[in-house]
Amino acid sequence: MKTIVPPQHHRWLLLGLVLAWPALAQTRVVEPREVPQALVFEASIEATKQATVATQVSGRIVEVKAEAGQKVAAGQLLMRVDAREAAENVAAAKAQLAQAEANYQRTLNLFQKKFVSQAALDAAEAQLKSARAQAAAAGAGASHATVTAPISGVVGQRLAELGDLAMPGKPLLTVFDPKSLRAIAAVPQARLAEIRNAKSARVEIVEPTGRRQIDGSRIEILPTIDTTSHTATVRVYLPESAGLLPGMAARVSFLSGEAKKLTVPQQAILRRGEISTVYVIRDGKPVLRQVRLGEATVDGEIEVLAGLAAGETISLDPVKTGIEMKQAK
């Protein structure tokens, strides 16, 4: 007895065949194109406005008001140091100032009555000025017991904990402005002339979602050469909306013009040791071909020096193309 398959079963059967059949790899016709001419150097990101915060008095840290990553405003309290010793110095300096003022007033009265010489009055005046200076210095030292933010920004690091001993000049925190960043690159002195002729610069950052490129707003070449490495420091300033962090690794491309090059995407290249190949589609069939590659372009593609000709079609997914070839056999 002949079994008849209902029409709806035909539709499900066809759908299953379509889902089981592998999707064909995408292809691209290779043609010369205008790509930016660039000099590329490794770089790092740093903040143009950053400060290391310390105190000028000794004492235990008794209060901590800031954590790494916290936004702070200029003048905001970050830490407080136990400055009882500094307060005692202030009290002693004020007492000496009061005594010097009284002594000066007595000497002045005696001088007006011709009982003491001008030299005695000058000595009393000198003591008064010295006491005033000591009192001012002691007051300034006591004020340093409160550690405040020197600039508005973000706390980059907290280098001390509650209860630690703070010492004059010992770093406690770092603060930076995340809106003001730049990329720093070391450029060999032999390439400085080309950097000076660069029309613009582009900073590339590798992120989990891919590569991100940011156009620099200004190029600055420092007027000194390092005597050890014979390199110059070049700064590329970034726009406020860059959204990067100090310390990030980057690549800086200094753009000097454009040139026509034959390029392919990086994902189209199969690498086996030092041999690079691509799949060329000829008469509808993929053929593996060795190519000689040049440097990467600014937009992330690779220049092809030999092995491909303009007008040829390549596979953009060589792994999928290899699977298709095995299934076709």
Side-chain angles (χ1 to χ4, degrees), residues 14 24 27 47 89 96 99 108 126 139 143 174 209 229 231 261 270 275 297 303:
L14 290 173
L24 295 177
T27 61
N89 291 336
Q96 290 179 357
Q99 184 179 3
L108 179 61
S143 68
T174 61
T209 56
S229 61
T231 59
K261 293 183 178 181
L270 273 177
I275 298 176
T297 60
E303 181 183 8

Side-chain angles (χ1 to χ4, degrees), residues 296-328:
T297 60
V298 176
D299 57 4
E301 294 202 358
I302 305 293
E303 181 183 8
V304 178
L305 302 177
L308 277 180
E312 290 189 302
T313 302
I314 63 169
S315 168
L316 297 180
D317 192 339
V319 175
K320 185 177 289 187
T321 300
I323 295 173
E324 293 170 2
M325 288 180 62
K326 289 182 180 179
Q327 292 178 343

Side-chain angles (χ1 to χ4, degrees), residues 201-205 207 212-217 236-239 241-244:
R202 187 171 295 166
V203 177
E204 182 182 47
I205 304 292
E207 297 179 330
R212 181 155 69 104
Q213 295 182 340
I214 304 169
D215 290 330
S217 58
V236 178
Y237 290 83
L238 300 173
S241 59
L244 305 180

Side-chain angles (χ1 to χ4, degrees), residues 11 39 44 100 114 142 162 207 216 223 231 233 277 291 299 309:
R11 288 197 296 269
L39 292 174
S44 60
K114 309 296 183 180
L162 184 67
E207 297 179 330
T231 59
T233 299
T277 58
V291 292
D299 57 4

Side-chain angles (χ1 to χ4, degrees), residues 102-113 116 121 124:
N103 182 57
Y104 174 75
Q105 193 62 45
R106 285 194 301 268
T107 305
L108 179 61
N109 291 335
L110 292 173
F111 175 76
Q112 291 173 345
K113 295 177 181 179
V116 295
L121 179 62

Side-chain angles (χ1 to χ4, degrees), residues 62-222:
V62 294
E63 189 176 7
V64 176
K65 304 285 286 185
E67 300 289 343
Q70 178 181 333
K71 292 183 179 180
V72 295
Q76 181 177 332
L77 176 65
L78 303 179
M79 286 185 178
R80 196 185 303 277
V81 176
D82 183 0
R84 283 177 290 181
E85 183 179 349
E88 291 174 359
N89 291 336
V90 172
K94 287 183 177 179
Q96 290 179 357
L97 176 59
Q99 184 179 3
E101 288 176 342
N103 182 57
Y104 174 75
Q105 193 62 45
R106 285 194 301 268
T107 305
L108 179 61
N109 291 335
L110 292 173
F111 175 76
Q112 291 173 345
K113 295 177 181 179
K114 309 296 183 180
F115 289 128
V116 295
S117 65
Q118 180 68 45
L121 179 62
D122 291 343
E125 185 179 6
Q127 285 182 347
L128 176 60
K129 290 180 178 178
S130 175
R132 284 175 177 169
Q134 290 178 4
S143 68
H144 293 143
T146 55
V147 180
T148 57
I151 60 173
S152 296
V154 176
V155 177
Q157 288 181 296
R158 199 182 76 190
L159 306 172
E161 301 295 333
L162 184 67
D164 285 353
L165 179 63
M167 300 290 291
K170 178 183 177 181
L172 301 177
L173 305 106
T174 61
V175 182
F176 70 94
D177 183 359
K179 296 181 180 179
S180 181
L181 301 173
R182 62 192 175 196
I184 306 297
V187 176
Q189 64 182 35
R191 313 302 297 268
L192 280 180
E194 298 172 78
I195 299 298
R196 290 191 180 97
N197 294 329
K199 298 177 181 179
S200 60
R202 187 171 295 166
V203 177
E204 182 182 47
I205 304 292
V206 178
E207 297 179 330
T209 56
R211 296 177 180 271
R212 181 155 69 104
Q213 295 182 340
I214 304 169
D215 290 330
S217 58
R218 180 165 63 92
I219 301 173
E220 179 184 56
I221 303 174
L222 297 190

